[in-house]
Structures are given as C-alpha cells and as structure tokens.
Amino acid sequence: MTFTRVSAKSLLVDPSPLTVPNERYVTGFVESSGRLTPRIGTRLGIADIAGAWRVRLGIGRGRYRVRPGLYAVGAPTPASAVLVTANYKLSFDELRKRLSGIDAWIVVLDTKGVNVWCAAGKGSFGTKELVERLAKLSLKEVVAHRIIVLPQLAAPGVSAVEVATASGFRVVYGPVRAADLPAFLESGMKKDAAMRTVRFGLADRAVLGPLELVHAWPLAGAALALALLSALPFSGGFGSRLSAISSVLIGSVVLGSLGFPILLPALPFRSFALKGAALGTVWGLAGSILAAARPLGGVSLVLASSAIVSYLGLNFTGSSTYTCQTGTAREVKLGIPAMITAAALSVLAGGISAFSRY
Amino acid sequence: MREWRYLLNGSSLALDAETCIGCGSCVEVCPHDVFLVEAGKARIRDRALCMECGACSRNCPVGALGVSSGVGCAAAIIAGKRGLASSGCGCSTDSSSSCC
C-alpha cells in the first residue's frame, strides 16, 4: 500500500496548527488492529542535521516541533514496546535515530516544543498530558500489553502511580539517554547505574556554548560602550586603545559563553558566579598586561571582565544538569548586586583613566 | 564517573524511613544516583548530589520523600523577580536564555 505525502498529513492523529518544519521523517504507514499509523525513519537526513545546528544557535527553537500523536518505528505489533517522548524535534530525532532495527510504537506528547527534562520540570510533560494523550490515541486498542516506557528524565513531571490509576498503563522509566534504549529493551527493560545517571561530559557542555553566545549580544554591546569610554580621549592613539580594550572585553563575552561550559569542572568554587568571576579576573589581568593598560585602566578591565564572565557563568545554571533552585536563588541574590557594583566601578575607573594619566 | 556538586544541593530533601517500603522507585528515577536501597529501606547515599528536581517525591508510592523542587535556572529566577514569569522557568517561551 502506498500513500502520497498529502494523504499522509490528513491521516495523522490529532492534527494541530503547529508549524511542522518538515515531515520527511514519515516514511510510510503501518497497518495494525485496523488502524494506519505513520511510520518514521530512523536515519537523520541533512535537513535534520541542519535543523539541529539551527536550534543550537537559537534560531526558531520554539517552533522546532513534531506533531503530537502516535507513530510507528519498524514493523510493530500489538506486543511491541511503547516509547513516549516530547515534541521538541531535537528530542524526537535523538530518539528515532537510536531505534534502527527496533519495532516499537512512539507516543509523542504535546510538550509545547520543549525537551523532555525541561518540559517535565514545567509540567507540560506531565501526568495530565500523558493520561489525556493515551486516551485520545486509544492506545489500549493499539497494544495488547499495558506498559509504557518513559524517558527517565520525565519523572519530575509524571507520577507513575497516578498514571496507572488513571490510564491502566504501568510506567517504566527507561534510560536517561536514548542511546541506551536498544540495550534497555534487549535486556527486558533493566537499567544499570550508568543508564540512570546524567553525565554532563565535555561534549554535552560544549554544544551549549553557541546558544549562550547568541544570547550574550546585549552584554557585548555594553562591553563595547565601556571600551569606547575607556579609550577616550580621541587624541593620542584612541584607535589602538579602543582595539586593545575591546578585544579584552569582547573576548570575555566569548570566553564566558563558549569557554565557561567547557572549563566548568576545572574552575574553582561550587558557585557558578564565583567560577565565572575567577575566570574573568584571570582573563582581565592577562588582557591588561598584554594591552599594556594604565593602572586604573587595568583595574577597569579586570572588574568588567570578571563581572561579564561571572554573569554568563551564573546564566549557565539554566543549561547545567545539576543546579538546584535554592542554590541558584542564593547566587542571584548575592551575585547580581556584586556584578552591578563591579560593573559600575569599572566604568568609573575606566572614565578616570581616560581623562588622567593613570 | 564525575559527580557534580553545587551550592545547597539536596538541602530540602527529606526521607521518612518509617514510611519507606524500600520499593526502589527513587533509585529508578534519580538522575544523580542519590539513593540506594539497603535492608528493605531507601537511604540517601550522597545528599550533595541532589539537584532537587522532584522526580523521587513525585514517584514515591507511599509519600515517604519530600523535596522542595524548582528550576535551578538563574534567568528564570531573575525573570520571576522582575515579574516577567509567574513561577518556574519561562525561558522557552521568551527564548531569552538557553535553559530549557
């Protein structure tokens, strides 16, 4: 049986007015229990890879969504496993690319285009959405068993006990990483400590840098303004002062965005703001020496770059995988006033330096 | 494997050993391997690893676990203070931060 792409769209369960960037992931249809379910491919194409890079740069992230509903991978039967995921396309792609050679049903929840863990934290990947989606999709008519596999990171939003009571399905929390799913399913749904634990390794951290940098542009603007002020007066080598000072300051924005995530475990202190302040201070000192800044100009550079990297470091709590709310709130409370003070002193020192011989 | 520690991590995590039935749900859902089950009871292995995500308390079938959970995201906390977001993390909607 073959279908055109147009009929494919109309057959999808639960159509919603979302922007679907492409539906090339639907490769055909599976007929089971008198129903047609779209089958998704397990190989990512160039469009998927380009899309991943786009959202890593913050372009169209909120719109990078998959239509919620039921999908098939391979040739599932009523006995096949049911895997539940979020409708952020990056999450969906990460799941499907790991499922080559596996027959399973995929339930995509409407998490408003947000990844599993964050959606669970916000509640959109939650008990209510899950129970309602299972009923809407009549999953009980699709599979003969009553087990659904959720990503482990959905657990902050889902109560397995409540789901069982309300839907009749038993929730099994699968591995943290989709990459471990084949082994998990193969072993009869058993997971070891490594499958349960979030790692946050070098690659996990480094990939977050570009988005941090894209979001840091207002800070780069402020850094440039400070550089202009500190390079005054317009006479006697304004251009070379401006280029030296702005290199140090713009450099600190780049360092705080791209370097901080990479250096995170090597930086001293548990506090992200202090980690950033330490990194920024070292950078500012090195920059002042290299730029042969005047004494007060150097003080200004150190204060500014420590405030900049500290702020960016503090912001990285949102992307990190292990910061709690109490600690982050304390950092904001103590850190932000300190950063503002440092920035103000930096402007003062830069201004005095510009109009004196210091 | 590296174990990540942060300020005040796990400070609100409370386990009521009396109520615990040792089912291991907390072990199954914890992303930082905070718990272990010993002699039919769950035990907090290392509190400082706890990021207070709330997965354990939400999935404890007997309500033996309590934790004050929320997003550890500075941008969301700052936005909340400025009245931009009512609670939790509003960052995906305004895309002002990379969190969530």
Side-chain angles (χ1 to χ4, degrees), chain A residues 2-328:
Chain A
T2 54
F3 294 86
T4 66
R5 186 150 290 153
V6 179
S7 67
K9 264 188 189 175
S10 61
L11 279 164
L12 287 169
V13 180
D14 185 30
S16 50
L18 295 173
T19 311
V20 183
N22 71 63
E23 288 171 358
R24 284 177 224 180
Y25 48 79
V26 175
T27 58
F29 285 84
V30 169
E31 197 176 3
S32 174
S33 316
R35 278 171 66 157
L36 285 175
T37 305
R39 176 195 280 133
I40 56 174
T42 59
R43 283 181 56 177
L44 301 193
I46 289 169
D48 302 315
I49 293 159
W53 276 104
R54 255 196 339 268
V55 294
R56 290 290 188 195
L57 289 167
I59 304 162
R61 218 155 51 105
R63 282 177 281 115
Y64 201 55
R65 302 182 184 193
V66 175
R67 195 182 296 258
L70 182 69
Y71 296 86
V73 62
T77 67
S80 300
V82 177
L83 311 174
V84 184
T85 190
N87 79 323
Y88 184 33
K89 187 162 177 291
L90 202 62
S91 311
F92 177 76
D93 283 354
E94 175 59 24
L95 171 65
R96 68 192 179 96
K97 79 175 183 194
R98 308 293 180 177
L99 298 179
S100 120
I102 289 173
D103 301 323
W105 300 101
I106 311 288
V107 171
V108 177
L109 300 184
D110 185 1
T111 60
K112 319 290 175 202
V114 173
N115 71 71
V116 173
W117 209 5
C118 286
K122 293 164 192 247
S124 54
F125 196 131
T127 306
K128 185 167 178 285
E129 161 66 10
L130 178 60
V131 168
E132 287 174 4
R133 186 67 54 186
L134 296 179
K136 216 169 192 172
L137 298 173
S138 311
L139 190 68
K140 284 186 168 172
E141 293 165 21
V142 179
V143 289
H145 61 79
R146 292 293 176 262
I147 295 170
I148 49 175
V149 178
L150 266 60
Q152 186 191 310
L153 294 184
V158 176
S159 161
V161 179
E162 286 171 28
V163 171
T165 313
S167 74
F169 281 92
R170 184 162 76 85
V171 170
V172 172
Y173 289 106
V176 164
R177 284 165 297 274
D180 290 327
L181 263 173
F184 173 79
L185 294 172
E186 183 79 17
S187 69
M189 299 193 183
K190 286 190 177 58
K191 57 176 179 176
D192 53 25
M195 286 189 193
R196 281 192 262 117
T197 317
V198 166
R199 289 199 196 116
F200 211 37
L202 180 61
D204 298 333
R205 302 193 307 273
V207 77
L208 301 168
L211 191 57
E212 300 288 328
L213 186 58
V214 169
H215 286 147
W217 68 265
L219 214 49
L224 211 55
L226 175 62
L228 276 170
L229 171 74
S230 307
L232 289 176
F234 285 117
S235 56
F238 171 80
S240 63
R241 284 198 302 274
L242 179 63
S243 75
I245 296 168
S246 59
S247 304
V248 176
L249 294 182
I250 300 294
S252 71
V253 175
V254 175
L255 179 69
S257 306
L258 301 181
F260 185 89
I262 291 170
L263 296 171
L264 184 73
L267 297 171
F269 310 113
R270 283 191 187 182
S271 150
F272 280 40
L274 286 180
K275 280 175 185 286
L279 181 61
T281 301
V282 171
W283 174 263
L285 273 173
S288 313
I289 293 164
L290 288 174
R294 288 172 293 196
L296 265 183
V299 168
S300 169
L301 281 182
V302 170
L303 285 170
S305 59
S306 67
I308 287 168
V309 184
S310 182
Y311 177 77
L312 292 169
L314 179 54
N315 236 355
F316 193 64
T317 52
S319 302
S320 81
T321 60
Y322 68 99
T323 55
C324 68
Q325 191 172 39
T326 342
T328 311

Side-chain angles (χ1 to χ4, degrees), chain A residues 58 61-62 112 114-115 117-119 121-122 127 152-162 171-174 176 191 193-194 196-201 205 208 211-212 215 264-266 270-272 311 314-333 336, chain B residues 1-12 24-36 45-46 48-62 68-79 81-82 87-100:
Chain A
R61 218 155 51 105
K112 319 290 175 202
V114 173
N115 71 71
W117 209 5
C118 286
K122 293 164 192 247
T127 306
Q152 186 191 310
L153 294 184
V158 176
S159 161
V161 179
E162 286 171 28
V171 170
V172 172
Y173 289 106
V176 164
K191 57 176 179 176
R196 281 192 262 117
T197 317
V198 166
R199 289 199 196 116
F200 211 37
R205 302 193 307 273
L208 301 168
L211 191 57
E212 300 288 328
H215 286 147
L264 184 73
R270 283 191 187 182
S271 150
F272 280 40
Y311 177 77
L314 179 54
N315 236 355
F316 193 64
T317 52
S319 302
S320 81
T321 60
Y322 68 99
T323 55
C324 68
Q325 191 172 39
T326 342
T328 311
R330 179 170 294 184
E331 285 216 70
V332 168
K333 196 177 163 195
I336 298 289
Chain B
M1 197 187 304
R2 179 184 299 283
E3 292 187 322
W4 299 93
R5 286 182 168 75
Y6 182 63
L7 294 179
L8 302 173
N9 260 5
S11 49
S12 70
S25 291
C26 50
V27 177
E28 193 195 357
V29 299
C30 178
H32 291 292
D33 210 16
V34 167
F35 302 97
L36 52 81
R45 183 179 71 84
D46 190 343
L49 297 176
C50 170
M51 64 181 289
E52 306 182 346
C53 70
C56 56
S57 66
R58 190 171 289 263
N59 284 278
C60 178
V62 292
S68 135
S69 64
V71 288
C73 168
I77 290 165
I78 295 167
K81 283 193 175 175
R82 291 169 60 199
S87 70
C89 175
C91 15
S92 77
T93 42
D94 62 21
S95 76
S96 66
S97 145
S98 61
C99 98
C100 316

